[in-house]
Amino acid sequence: PSGNTIGLEAIIRKALMGKYDE
Amino acid sequence: ELSQEQQALLNYIVEAYNKHRVPQDMAKKLLQEHFSAEENFLLLTEMATSHVQVLVEFTKNIPGFQSLDHEDQIALLKGSAVEAMFLRSAEVFTKKRPQGQTEVLEERIRKSGISEEFITPMFNFYKSIGELQMRQEEHALLTAITILSSDRPYVKDQQAVEQLQEPMLEVLWKFCKLQHPQDPQHFARLLGRLTELRTLNHQHAEMLESWRMS
């Protein structure tokens, strides 16, 4: 579960910084 | 009556909700009828990543969100991602679909290897959402309200988050009164679904672990 949380946070940080490529 | 400002907020949120969706080619793969357990696992996990990206893009459009403390933004998204995904997938499941599509989607989940103990509450949730006959505006607002929950772990400035959530709640309350006049408890029932989401959220980590093992 902690691995999932780290993965989730990484996706969120990346998406917050950049644009989601439609 | 919704004030002009409230109507504008509602339009804006709904537009953002509709604009950001999982890519069509990925959604189409979901509807393929023949798939192995491994293909299914890969697709569902790929979709989860896509869902989170969609969620972030939607959230960036919530007025005031990007002016929150950056780490609080992360904490809110981390804390609400699973619940927002369940809400979005409930919308997909309860929407009227062409013949057979809902069955294919349901089959994917039932054959995924996820234990029945987790699937049952998930489908019960979908059913309870379906019974509410929610309009798209309600889905969009409820998602925003879920994201703007100030009691998520590690949120520092709870008051700032509450100040963003309050106008959303007010718009939703008014919308429920206007659109569901025959059901005075409609707003309360929507909020009740948020409680159900919390339970699904708590079970989610356990569900993933059990699924990965299987």
Side-chain angles (χ1 to χ4, degrees):
Chain A
S2 61
N4 295 324
T5 316
I6 291 165
L8 175 61
E9 184 173 330
I11 296 167
I12 288 168
R13 283 189 185 276
K14 194 175 171 188
L16 265 180
M17 273 167 37
K19 270 198 154 174
Y20 168 48
D21 185 16
E22 288 189 49
Chain B
E1 236 181 62
L2 287 169
S3 69
Q4 229 174 348
E5 211 175 76
Q6 286 174 326
Q7 188 62 60
L9 173 65
L10 181 59
N11 294 345
Y12 191 69
I13 292 292
V14 172
E15 199 187 313
Y17 188 76
N18 282 329
K19 187 176 165 188
H20 300 289
R21 296 205 163 262
V22 165
Q24 266 219 326
D25 55 343
M26 201 184 284
K28 274 191 181 145
K29 277 191 209 171
L30 255 191
L31 294 169
Q32 280 167 11
E33 286 185 47
H34 305 289
F35 47 86
S36 69
E38 264 169 60
E39 279 170 346
N40 193 36
F41 183 84
L42 285 170
L43 181 61
L44 290 177
T45 51
E46 213 179 295
M47 283 212 65
T49 304
S50 181
H51 242 154
V52 173
Q53 289 166 334
V54 163
L55 174 70
V56 173
E57 291 307 311
F58 166 69
T59 305
K60 282 180 187 177
N61 283 278
I62 295 174
F65 183 82
Q66 289 194 283
S67 60
L68 291 173
D69 172 88
H70 187 73
E71 292 307 311
D72 277 358
Q73 291 179 33
I74 309 278
L76 288 172
L77 283 161
K78 263 177 77 173
S80 63
V82 168
E83 292 175 22
M85 283 195 282
F86 274 123
L87 260 179
R88 185 72 88 140
S89 59
E91 190 197 9
V92 166
F93 262 88
T94 56
K95 208 164 141 174
K96 194 165 176 195
R97 312 207 73 84
Q99 178 74 18
Q101 275 191 11
T102 311
E103 287 73 21
V104 171
L105 293 174
E106 194 171 325
E107 192 73 354
R108 271 200 186 264
I109 293 178
R110 294 203 183 276
K111 282 188 173 170
S112 63
I114 297 171
S115 155
E116 196 65 34
E117 123 187 49
F118 301 114
I119 289 183
T120 302
M122 196 192 311
F123 278 112
N124 285 344
F125 175 71
Y126 292 165
K127 188 172 170 224
S128 70
I129 289 285
E131 281 163 2
L132 287 169
Q133 309 252 313
M134 286 166 70
R135 300 272 301 269
Q136 192 163 71
E137 290 89 340
E138 291 165 71
H139 278 288
L141 285 168
L142 206 61
T143 304
I145 288 162
T146 302
I147 294 161
L148 296 170
S149 300
S150 61
D151 61 342
R152 300 293 185 197
Y154 310 114
V155 170
K156 297 175 301 227
D157 191 350
Q158 291 190 322
Q159 205 178 19
V161 177
E162 281 156 17
Q163 279 173 353
L164 295 186
Q165 193 195 50
E166 243 171 71
M168 302 279 176
L169 282 163
E170 183 151 343
V171 171
L172 182 61
W173 178 74
K174 281 191 182 177
F175 188 85
C176 290
K177 289 279 176 212
L178 289 165
Q179 296 299 325
H180 302 273
Q182 78 291 352
D183 182 9
Q185 292 306 312
H186 192 85
F187 178 68
R189 288 163 76 200
L190 286 183
L191 296 187
R193 301 288 73 77
L194 296 185
T195 309
E196 214 175 328
L197 274 175
R198 292 272 172 143
T199 309
L200 286 174
N201 194 0
H202 291 138
Q203 288 174 340
H204 189 253
E206 205 187 323
M207 183 196 89
L208 285 183
E209 201 51 36
S210 135
W211 187 19
R212 204 182 284 118
M213 292 299 288
S214 86

